[in-house]
Amino acid sequence: MTRTSRSFRFAATAAVAALGLLVTACGGSGGSTGAASDGKPVTIEYWTWTLGAKSTVDAFNRTHKDIKVKFTEIPSGTEGYSKLSNAVQAGNAPDVATIEYQMVPEFASQGNLIDLTKYAGETVKTKFPKPVQSLVTFGGRTWTVPYDVAPQLLYYRTDLFKKYGIAVPKTWDEFRTAAEKVRKQDKNVRLASFPKNDPALLAALAWQAGGKWFGTQGDAWKTGVNDTATKKVAAYWDGLVKDGLVQTFTGYSPEETKARAQGSTLAFLGASWSAGGMKTALPDLKGKWAAAPMPNWGTPAVGNYGGTSYGVLKGSEHAQAAAEFITWLTTDKAGVEARLADLASPSSALPANADMRKVAAARFDTSYFNGQDLYALASQQADTIVPGWTWGPDQMDVYTAIQDTTAKSGFTAGVEAGEHKAESGIESRGLKLAE
Amino acid sequence: MAAPLARTAGPPDARRGPAGPGGATQLRRSQRRAAALLITPFFVLFGAVMVAPIGYALWMSLFQERSSGLGFGGTRRVFAGLANYTAALSDPGFRASFAHIALYCALYIPVMIGGSLALALLVDSALARAKRFFQLALFLPHAIPGLIASIIWIYLYTPGLSPVLDWISAAGGSWDFYANDHVLLSMVNLSAWQWTGYNMVIFYAALQAVPREVIEAAVVDGAGALRTALRIKIPMIASAIVMTVLFTCVGAIQLFTEPKLLNQRGAPSIDTEWSPTLFIWKAGFVQHDYGLAAAASLLLAALGVALSFVVTWIGNRWKAAV
């Protein structure tokens, strides 16, 4: 008995000692990155999923001696943001990451972002339009630097629209009529597919209709995920789904792409950035696509579907260098040109900064769209983005609630669940909710 | 392994006695050291990957992140006591996730265990030809990583991609693998495909250990193949059956990949907190509520332990009865 227990004690002591070594080893590696301020180049980590990222980083590293950027591709959407917030929690986050506008309040209020006012506040204030500034400025502080605006656009097959004898719908009423007309001619073909798993698309359409999911009132949050405008949009799409006028493929899935490639979906609801990936996703349909303004509710207006900005994550020891890289990415001609230099899938994002917009427009290869000036269309649409939209501090959770309930019982029920989650999420974190 | 250990253990009084030969004590000490050295890696790993994370989770589960106003002034960690535990237990989503798993088990365990037992008995029976081939062929699905298997099955389930659905509609039928009434069956099918062969191999191996004399005696007494299987073979591999049921239960409460992928593919009734692990994943990684995620994880672990005890207890009683 004594024998076993003593050797157990020995083993346990050895184990604890080894564990201690392990812990110190882990702790030791963290501090080694700080010693780079004496002339040697600083290396910053950059995680993103945006198109043209590799060519951008290569161009930056070619032209900068004092800062080297190491680029890692991460998934977009929930998975990507989970990865980022976990990395912050674990203390091994990258210095720079792409944060969509919809995630800025959430990331900032979770304490995942470094306040960039000191490094880039001036840049944001002087180089970006007011409505875009308001998407990255909260509590009087600048959290991220904007890159693009993402006015929604309708992409459609010119050849098939002709074949089915439909004109490009200008309003949502016309859209419905066109959808009916297509279905009547071929039961296997639909005008469009409306995913039940992409609440960001629903948000953009609610934005267009004048909805306001979040807002601030003093130091309190206001919520309106189920406001009148949003309910109108939800009911519209519930109707189209119920009447079988649109498909409901999972968004960004192989079956959705397959239906577009086969011509059984004639159009899709996208944004300025959607064009970039089409060359690789649908190479055989070159010259058969065109873009048009998103149908509206009677007056020209559009929502922002996505849109990216760049932030410095908590734990970064090179905030200054990181901010310099971000400034180059978003407001330097070379940065924007490099983003469009990627041959396979160049970015088609519409820069928020006016000068950069010209740079990007001049660089974008329009051959896929039969020479259509996509940037001119997107610019003109960007001017009609409805002002006053604010994203929430628990946006991802709200999205998940909408998605779960929509899958079961439709969009109208989905936005109700979203509103419920918006309120409970704000309160459970101790944030203030306006009465 | 057992024999030398038994020898060195020796009678305790001989070790302590002053008359004991000095050489033997020396030997024992060095052996002691060797044994300690050999088991140290286990304790290091056990401590690093089990005890430390559980301790950390326990610590995390006692705190909550709080902010104030709009929330842009930073977050602070406050001691919350058991608030995360009560929050998890009172969350209808968390509670429902266990009901989902119970329903899944009620369908899955009989199908999978019954299926693999039947296959093992068939392969073991004198009638079966090409035993090796069947063993390997049936085990093969398990060699495919679970995630890949799920992706392949989901491809087969998805309208617009699936050739299976094309055949069904070509034959004039229709089937929706994701429909509320069917999705659980689709999931059971996926898991059963992966695990039936694996458990069959375990049962088959256990059947090889059944003494042939016993079976011969049964045959001499006039028992047919079916009777031998039900009355002799199954009772004699009871331990293996209990063990596989235990592993299956513990595996089932950790179900993640299949519902996660089905959720992503838009199966309406599989929501983002369908299983306990999905709930935990969402709490930690979507809601950034690490305290709630830690509390829910520990509750799940406690359930796993409790379940293991219950299954083992029932199994032992069954083994004693047969």
Side-chain angles (χ1 to χ4, degrees), chain B residues 4 9 11 26-27 56 69 80 97 108 112 114 161 186 196 202 210 228 244 269 292 298 315:
Chain B
Q26 210 71 45
L27 189 73
Y56 185 52
S97 70
Y108 171 59
M112 194 275 288
L161 291 179
S186 305
T196 304
I202 293 179
V210 173
T228 317
T244 50
S269 61
L292 178 65
L298 289 169

Side-chain angles (χ1 to χ4, degrees), chain A residues 3 6 8 10 14-15 79 82 85-86 89 105-106 109-110 138 141 216 219-221 250 253-255 258 397 400 404 407-408 428-432, chain B residues 15 32 36 39-40 43-44 47-48 66-73 75 158-161 260 263-265 268 271-272 281-282 285-288 290:
Chain A
R3 193 184 64 89
R6 210 192 291 162
F8 172 79
F10 175 72
E79 317 286 320
S82 301
S85 57
N86 286 345
Q89 187 79 5
E106 179 160 335
S109 67
Q110 296 279 1
F138 296 94
R141 276 170 278 187
T216 57
D219 67 341
W221 285 97
T250 303
S253 67
E255 60 268 29
K258 193 181 166 198
D397 205 13
T400 315
D404 274 350
K408 288 182 187 135
S428 75
R429 275 173 50 200
L431 304 176
K432 208 161 150 192
Chain B
R15 257 189 294 141
R32 215 148 61 204
I39 57 174
T40 300
F43 281 105
V44 171
R66 307 294 282 179
S67 315
S68 57
L70 289 176
F72 298 108
T75 57
T158 303
L161 291 179
K260 176 100 178 92
N263 168 258
Q264 280 178 352
R265 306 308 294 153
D271 58 28
T272 47
W281 185 85
K282 183 179 161 188
F285 302 157
V286 176
Q287 301 170 321
H288 320 289
Y290 293 93

Side-chain angles (χ1 to χ4, degrees), chain B residues 50-63 77 79 81-82 84-85 290-291 293-295 297-299:
Chain B
M50 287 291 292
V51 179
I54 289 176
Y56 185 52
L58 199 65
W59 176 252
M60 268 168 84
S61 72
L62 302 176
F63 292 89
R77 255 174 126 211
F79 183 76
L82 296 177
N84 284 321
Y85 292 90
Y290 293 93
S297 305
L298 289 169
L299 289 170

Side-chain angles (χ1 to χ4, degrees), chain A residues 75-80 82 195-199 248-256 400 403-404 407, chain B residues 147 150-151 154 158 178 183 187 256-274 278 281 286:
Chain A
S76 64
T78 313
E79 317 286 320
S82 301
K196 289 181 172 179
N197 70 331
D198 189 8
T248 51
F249 295 123
T250 303
Y252 305 97
S253 67
E255 60 268 29
E256 188 190 59
T400 315
Q403 195 179 326
D404 274 350
Chain B
L147 184 68
S150 303
I151 291 172
I154 278 164
T158 303
Y178 296 147
V183 71
M187 206 186 305
F256 183 83
T257 318
E258 293 86 351
K260 176 100 178 92
L261 285 168
L262 283 168
N263 168 258
Q264 280 178 352
R265 306 308 294 153
S269 61
I270 309 294
D271 58 28
T272 47
E273 45 191 38
W274 189 86
L278 275 177
W281 185 85
V286 176

Side-chain angles (χ1 to χ4, degrees), chain A residues 239-321:
Chain A
L240 261 66
V241 170
K242 195 177 119 250
D243 298 341
L245 297 176
V246 289
Q247 292 138 331
T248 51
F249 295 123
T250 303
Y252 305 97
S253 67
E255 60 268 29
E256 188 190 59
T257 309
K258 193 181 166 198
R260 278 180 204 166
Q262 283 177 337
S264 52
T265 309
L266 308 188
F268 71 90
L269 314 181
S272 40
W273 45 263
S274 310
M278 287 170 75
K279 210 170 153 184
T280 28
L282 307 162
D284 301 339
L285 297 176
K286 185 176 172 178
K288 294 182 175 165
W289 288 93
M294 192 56 104
N296 57 49
W297 294 99
T299 47
V302 75
N304 219 7
Y305 179 32
T308 52
S309 69
Y310 293 87
V312 180
L313 294 173
K314 195 170 97 180
S316 168
E317 287 164 13
H318 310 295
Q320 175 99 47

